[in-house]
Amino acid sequence: MILNRNDKCWCGSRLKYKNCHLDFDKKLEALKNQGCIVPTRNLIKSKEQIEGIRKSAKINNGLLDLVSENIKEGMTTEEINKLAHEYTISQGGIPATLNYDGFPKSICTSINDEVCHGIPSKDVVLKNGDIINVDATTILNGYYSDASRMFMIGEVTDKARKIVEITKECLNKAIESVKPWGFLGDIGAVIQEYAESNGYSVVRDFGGHGVGLNIHEEPFVSHFGIRGTDMILAPGMVFTIEPMINGGSHEIFIDEDNGWTAFTADGALSAQWEHTILVTEDGIEIISK
Ligand code: MF3
Ligand code: CO
Ligand code: CO
């Protein structure tokens, strides 16, 4: 269907097309004709949807703040899960990972050589020197937000602290690289360059993802890659960047017993930080902040 200039815009804003996404569509059409990969309309969030995702992220951040205030040596990962779960429910949210594809818990807790998707357990006790990623995804009124942070338990080695810090910088540099009408491939390029220049490797089997109306949407956000490639980043896109950086090789394996938890193949440490990002007209907004 061809929209007329005076018709209502396709984005749900109730504005006339000419006052809303007409110029946007022209720009994308031109880029597409130049051979660029452009996002489909279902990847462009409306103002209302963005506001819904922001509210969801507020709970998700509150959860991570609460974990940050309480996490300590001697605690089990199940206790962290309980804290997170109860907080989310108390705020009117739903933990998105609980029963997602059979995942049994409300957060992921990945310690040391666990790359991601660690399952909270009453048998896993946090020890002095551990580094742990806590990854939370919250649903509020049908809107999804996703973020994760690293925590250092007690006194950690310089080696452990360094991978945690460099991984956080990988995420920050990647966020800085995001430009409206820029390329998705720049994100992976920036992360890969910075990680590898520090002697680390980038996990390839998992990536970031579109998010907002579902836990995992398009596009797949690769954490390694080439500048000036992959999808055009248009205002209204919401996605995560969540680099998993390994101290040794990028190879991983999945726990055969639980079918979920990814470990570094060589037993080296792995770290991860995650934010949910919105591409705006003139830059970006870190929604999960
Ligand atoms: N929060 C995770 C992510 O960043 C989703 C994990 S799905 C689970 O994509 F089932 F493993 F929890
Ligand atoms: Co994610
Ligand atoms: Co996550």
Side-chain angles (χ1 to χ4, degrees):
M1 190 190 75
I2 305 287
L3 271 187
N4 225 297
R5 293 174 57 79
N6 288 312
D7 289 342
K8 298 250 179 295
C9 188
W10 51 262
C11 79
S13 65
R14 290 180 287 270
L15 294 174
K16 287 190 176 163
Y17 183 42
K18 66 179 179 192
N19 296 326
C20 198
H21 278 94
L22 176 60
D23 290 345
F24 174 100
D25 281 351
K26 281 189 183 156
K27 203 157 179 174
L28 271 194
E29 185 64 24
L31 286 162
K32 192 174 167 185
N33 291 337
Q34 287 168 33
C36 295
I37 305 166
V38 299
T40 47
R41 282 184 184 169
N42 61 330
L43 302 188
I44 310 303
K45 265 68 180 183
S46 69
K47 287 217 165 66
E48 193 178 327
Q49 291 169 337
I50 290 164
E51 196 43 42
I53 301 166
R54 282 198 193 101
K55 287 185 180 144
S56 166
K58 203 157 185 257
I59 301 176
N60 208 57
N61 290 333
L63 175 168
L64 290 170
D65 289 345
L66 185 68
V67 169
S68 154
E69 286 155 20
N70 287 278
I71 197 163
K72 61 173 196 298
E73 186 182 350
M75 201 172 183
T76 68
T77 50
E78 174 53 33
E79 287 175 287
I80 305 169
N81 179 72
K82 186 165 186 274
L83 195 68
H85 181 90
E86 286 176 355
Y87 176 81
T88 303
I89 300 298
S90 78
Q91 301 300 304
I94 302 168
T97 61
L98 184 58
N99 301 321
Y100 166 73
D101 235 354
F103 192 83
K105 296 287 172 177
S106 298
I107 51 170
C108 299
T109 49
S110 308
I111 303 177
N112 299 335
D113 62 331
E114 292 175 347
V115 173
C116 63
H117 303 163
I119 302 178
S121 162
K122 60 177 173 36
D123 300 327
V124 176
V125 181
L126 295 181
K127 306 182 308 295
N128 183 52
D130 282 345
I131 59 169
I132 176 175
N133 174 274
V134 176
D135 190 341
T137 314
T138 295
I139 315 171
L140 180 71
N141 302 326
Y143 295 111
Y144 290 69
S145 58
D146 188 4
S148 79
R149 300 182 196 165
M150 294 298 296
F151 300 98
M152 295 183 272
I153 307 302
E155 299 261 315
V156 308
T157 62
D158 288 346
K159 196 171 154 188
R161 179 177 302 275
K162 186 176 171 208
I163 195 168
V164 168
E165 284 170 1
I166 299 289
T167 304
K168 190 175 192 179
E169 286 173 32
C170 281
L171 173 58
N172 289 340
K173 286 176 189 290
I175 291 171
E176 279 169 29
S177 81
V178 174
K179 301 274 180 298
W181 311 107
F183 289 91
L184 182 59
D186 291 12
I187 292 173
V190 164
I191 293 169
Q192 185 176 14
E193 277 163 23
Y194 195 63
E196 289 180 356
S197 72
N198 279 282
Y200 298 140
S201 65
V202 179
V203 171
R204 289 156 190 241
D205 305 71
F206 301 99
H209 49 89
V211 68
L213 310 181
N214 253 302
I215 184 165
H216 292 146
E217 302 173 359
E218 279 194 75
F220 177 79
V221 178
S222 176
H223 298 127
F224 66 100
I226 301 169
R227 279 191 176 72
T229 65
D230 212 330
M231 193 179 278
I232 295 291
L233 300 175
M237 288 175 74
V238 177
F239 55 86
T240 72
I241 307 178
E242 48 182 301
M244 284 147 270
I245 304 299
N246 291 353
S249 100
H250 68 77
E251 282 233 21
I252 60 133
F253 70 89
I254 307 289
D255 185 308
E256 278 183 20
D257 297 325
N258 70 29
W260 277 105
T261 310
F263 289 83
T264 58
D266 55 11
L269 291 174
S270 187
Q272 177 179 29
W273 291 81
E274 174 176 26
H275 267 314
T276 295
I277 306 297
L278 164 70
V279 182
T280 63
E281 301 280 336
D282 51 7
I284 59 115
E285 176 185 326
I286 303 175
I287 299 236
S288 54
K289 206 172 192 171

